[in-house]
């Protein structure tokens, strides 16, 4: 029996490399910008420091999810980041598991969920 | 300017206590079983070892998200776990941020997302 059936709440597909909060923001940000983003833009969009961004990008790069290109724009060094093909695919697979989790929980929340939606705390 | 506007991909609402993969499974599992679950059932549903389950339950308990009741059922020790009222609410708030992230990414994925859905990899 696959683990998903024996342990329906183990959510095995939630790849830990992607799941880490800052990296999840980076992956989403790069998914929304398929042509890639400059280091400085990525840093601002994700609200990260230089050090944190470098560290998380390295993890994503070593896992083959993101490619980082270092070059020059005029005389200034310019670092550009984008998802790899396999990175996009693995992120989509990760998102499918996340969608299942949100559905499981939202369904269970039932009335409470609708109430919070009416209060504007949750989307309808 | 709130951070969400200046750093739309920081997803600040993703509480790290809840976001950890195993704890996310525990929270979802307890949301689906609002009357609570026995330690043994929770362990099986989430695919965790005794040690891991104890450790994560302690973190959730210390954060006020889960209450753990130790008692007896007949002569056998029986541990029961359930979400606290504030745990449910904080989990719903967390889920709202997660839903936003899934929507952001899925929208960006566009055609690719529909393709994977047709292939049965992602839900339609």
């Amino acid at each position: 029996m696959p683990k998903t059936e024996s342990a329906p709440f183990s959510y095995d597909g939630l790849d830990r490399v992607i799941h880490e909060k800052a990296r999840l923001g980076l992956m989403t940000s790069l998914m929304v910008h398929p042509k890639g983003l400059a280091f400085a833009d990525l840093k601002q969009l994700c609200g990260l420091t230089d050090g944190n961004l470098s560290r998380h990008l390295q993890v994503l790069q070593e896992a083959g999810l993101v490619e980082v290109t270092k070059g020059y724009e005029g005389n200034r060094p310019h670092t550009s980041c984008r998802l790899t093909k396999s990175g996009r695919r693995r992120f989509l697979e990760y998102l499918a598991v996340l969608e299942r989790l949100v559905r499981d929980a939202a369904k269970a929340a039932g009335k409470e969920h609708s109430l919070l939606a009416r209060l504007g705390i949750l989307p309808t």
Side-chain angles (χ1 to χ4, degrees), chain A:
Chain A
M1 184 155 60
K3 200 174 174 195
T4 313
E5 284 175 40
S6 65
F9 299 100
S10 67
Y11 301 109
D12 284 327
L14 292 184
D15 183 336
R16 283 187 189 274
V17 173
I18 299 176
H19 189 65
E20 196 283 331
K21 182 181 162 175
R23 292 196 289 267
L24 187 49
L26 288 173
M27 293 294 287
T28 307
S29 169
L30 292 173
M31 180 67 105
V32 172
H33 299 90
K35 290 180 179 171
L37 281 168
F39 188 91
D41 295 333
L42 204 47
K43 182 181 132 178
Q44 192 239 304
L45 287 169
C46 297
L48 294 170
T49 60
D50 276 11
N52 268 334
L53 178 52
S54 295
R55 189 164 57 87
H56 287 302
L57 276 179
Q58 198 183 340
V59 175
L60 293 173
Q61 198 180 7
E62 281 167 8
L65 297 165
V66 164
E67 57 189 19
V68 178
T69 315
K70 293 186 184 201
Y72 284 87
E73 211 166 56
N75 284 328
R76 297 176 57 198
H78 181 87
T79 301
S80 172
C81 316
R82 55 181 293 170
L83 288 186
T84 62
K85 207 166 176 177
S86 127
R88 280 181 75 83
R89 182 163 191 106
R90 280 164 60 191
F91 190 40
L92 287 171
E93 288 165 1
Y94 169 92
L95 287 169
V97 182
L98 212 55
E99 278 183 314
R100 179 164 64 83
L101 183 149
V102 171
R103 267 205 314 274
D104 288 349
K107 200 172 143 190
K111 278 187 197 163
E112 195 166 345
H113 189 268
S114 325
L115 179 67
L116 288 171
R118 277 204 300 276
L119 292 171
I121 296 168
L122 288 180
T124 41

